[in-house]
Amino acid sequence: MYPFQYTKAKEASEATATASRQENSKFLAGGTNLVDLIRRDVVHPDYLIDVSHLDFKTIKAYNGGLRLGAMASNSETAANKELKEAYPIVSQAILLGASAQLRNKASNGGNMLQKTRCPYFMSPPFPCNKREPGSGCSAINGENRLLSILGTSEKCIASYPSDMATALTAMDAVIQTRLSDGSERSIPVVDFHLLPEDTPWKETVLKEGELITAIDLPEESKEFAENSYYLKIRDRHSFAFALVSVAAALVMESGKITKARLVLGSVAPKPWRNREAEEMLLGQAPSENLFMEVAEKALEGAKGFGENDFKIPLAKKGIVRALRIASKSEA
Ligand SMILES: Cc1cc2nc3c(=O)[nH]c(=O)nc-3n(C[C@H](O)[C@H](O)[C@H](O)COP(=O)(O)OP(=O)(O)OC[C@H]3O[C@@H](n4cnc5c(N)ncnc54)[C@H](O)[C@@H]3O)c2cc1C
Ligand code: SF4
């Protein structure tokens, strides 16, 4: 293990100033991902800035919606009464992730920035463009069962595993941040993560030293509460990352779908929203045929790399099932 310095920031301004001043620094929240990566020699920060105790822990009503503090734990967030009532899909998704012990430590901000579970990224002797730019991608012709079928590049096919971010994308959630010059930014979750293209090591739009302070759920998304469902398909029923997940959220009026959100998780380097597939649902009554056509559209252009070919038919079946449950149809 490489030596590093540790500091506990007293305020957000101190955290962002230190991060922009100190080269190769990282914020530390629950540490459930970062400490693991340090122990495995995957990342070697020279400076850890502990932000876990900063005053962004509350979950409160905001602008008619709900503001989730970045340092609130995943457990506390999932158990929040207002979240469960107004945005149940987010609570469902969080509770299907990790284990109770991990969710007690994991923060909402850290969850957005968790790293891929690509086995080669996690194993330093292997070439990996994300960990070591230019070294190559071991996964394209290797062990890629968990990896992406959409949004990949010749440089990287890693998948992004956050259940919470997949559900937040379906709810049009917005990430709030603070920069070192004191300014603030609002970034929709759907625009937060980048595709690998030629630079797989650039994973989000965050700037140097930019701190996530909150995640906002908009008032308008409350109307999905009645007809939403988070489906997680995995090897084990608990304590396993998704092979495929589907966040399906609908608004139904007089038996017809009037609004739709469809987001896939663990099949792409970011939560994968398909607007064309969503539009196919509008004005329609739920039916098995419709859901199958939507699933075909959502997987258009999907490409497997051998071990993960099975994800394409699995995702299609998952979409049909999630839409069937969300629409409460007997289709
Ligand atoms: C065994 C295991 C199983 C898991 N299973 C699942 C699963 O099934 N589904 C799932 O979705 N997740 C799963 N997880 C991931 C878990 O949810 C994440 O590890 C956790 O959410 C990360 O939060 P943290 O606070 O511990 O982040 P940390 O580990 O502290 O930090 C993670 C990253 O975020 C950065 N960071 C943290 N806070 C901020 C902030 N406020 N602003 C800017 N940057 C910040 C850190 O610098 C670091 O790069 C699993 C984890 C483990 C270890
Ligand atoms: S898929 Fe991405 S993370 Fe995995 S080995 Fe290839 S470059 Fe690295």
Side-chain angles (χ1 to χ4, degrees):
M1 191 147 138
Y2 290 71
F4 57 82
Q5 288 188 60
Y6 167 92
T7 183
K8 204 164 184 170
K10 289 189 195 70
E11 288 177 16
S13 55
E14 188 188 324
T16 53
T18 311
S20 59
R21 201 176 51 242
Q22 294 288 348
E23 252 183 62
N24 195 22
S25 59
K26 283 225 168 267
F27 296 128
L28 175 72
T32 59
N33 190 208
L34 182 56
V35 173
D36 201 18
L37 294 173
I38 293 173
R39 283 201 185 115
R40 288 168 183 251
D41 280 344
V42 176
V43 294
H44 312 115
D46 293 322
Y47 218 89
L48 284 188
I49 305 158
D50 192 340
V51 294
S52 59
H53 56 288
L54 291 181
D55 193 19
F56 301 107
K57 285 181 179 275
T58 50
I59 298 167
K60 58 185 179 196
Y62 183 78
N63 261 353
L66 200 61
R67 171 161 282 187
L68 314 177
M71 283 52 165
S73 74
N74 280 179
S75 294
E76 192 188 344
T77 306
N80 180 270
K81 188 169 170 289
E82 285 74 30
L83 185 83
K84 287 203 290 188
E85 276 171 18
Y87 312 94
I89 195 169
V90 178
S91 177
Q92 281 168 17
I94 295 173
L95 291 174
L96 287 168
S99 65
Q101 292 88 340
L102 282 162
R103 293 193 297 269
N104 287 343
K105 281 300 281 178
S107 67
N108 294 332
N111 195 317
M112 298 303 98
L113 288 161
Q114 63 173 284
K115 295 286 188 181
T116 181
R117 259 55 192 186
C118 172
Y120 303 103
F121 174 75
M122 307 279 279
S123 310
F126 289 95
C128 167
N129 284 325
K130 190 184 278 295
R131 185 170 25 76
E132 207 177 322
S135 62
C137 172
S138 304
I140 287 180
N141 296 311
E143 205 177 301
N144 53 44
R145 187 168 180 273
L146 288 175
L147 305 188
S148 291
I149 51 173
L150 289 159
T152 56
S153 77
E154 286 175 4
K155 299 279 164 57
C156 179
I157 61 168
S159 57
Y160 170 68
S162 168
D163 293 298
M164 183 183 185
T166 303
L168 288 172
T169 303
M171 292 293 100
D172 297 323
V174 178
I175 291 175
Q176 304 297 341
T177 69
R178 191 168 295 184
L179 292 97
S180 55
D181 62 3
S183 63
E184 296 179 342
R185 282 211 290 168
S186 301
I187 310 162
V189 180
V190 72
D191 299 327
F192 183 73
H193 296 94
L194 299 170
L195 293 180
E197 298 179 350
D198 285 336
T199 53
W201 55 93
K202 286 189 190 163
E203 298 183 323
T204 72
V205 298
L206 283 185
K207 296 181 179 154
E208 205 65 48
E210 192 168 2
L211 180 74
I212 299 177
T213 54
I215 303 166
D216 289 345
L217 286 154
E219 182 176 19
E220 302 77 56
S221 295
K222 288 182 176 176
E223 56 186 344
F224 291 111
E226 266 301 296
N227 291 101
S228 61
Y229 188 71
Y230 187 76
L231 174 71
K232 179 168 178 174
I233 304 172
R234 47 189 163 166
D235 284 328
R236 287 190 307 267
H237 191 61
S238 85
F239 204 27
F241 286 97
L243 297 167
V244 168
S245 70
V246 186
L250 307 171
V251 176
M252 310 268 306
E253 283 169 31
S254 310
K256 298 247 169 92
I257 299 163
T258 57
K259 288 188 185 166
R261 296 286 182 276
L262 188 63
V263 184
L264 299 176
S266 291
V267 295
K270 60 184 287 183
W272 195 259
R273 180 173 173 190
N274 189 310
R275 288 170 204 262
E276 282 181 70
E278 289 173 1
E279 276 164 24
M280 286 173 69
L281 290 160
L282 303 183
Q284 306 293 326
S287 76
E288 194 81 1
N289 275 349
L290 172 66
F291 295 161
M292 282 161 62
E293 284 168 20
V294 168
E296 287 298 326
K297 174 59 77 182
L299 270 297
E300 236 172 46
K303 176 179 179 314
F305 293 85
E307 284 188 358
N308 69 350
D309 292 350
F310 75 99
K311 282 193 174 192
I312 299 174
L314 187 66
K316 290 180 186 172
K317 286 188 173 142
I319 289 171
V320 172
R321 185 160 154 223
L323 286 170
R324 198 190 290 144
I325 298 171
S327 64
K328 299 181 178 153
S329 70
E330 297 303 315

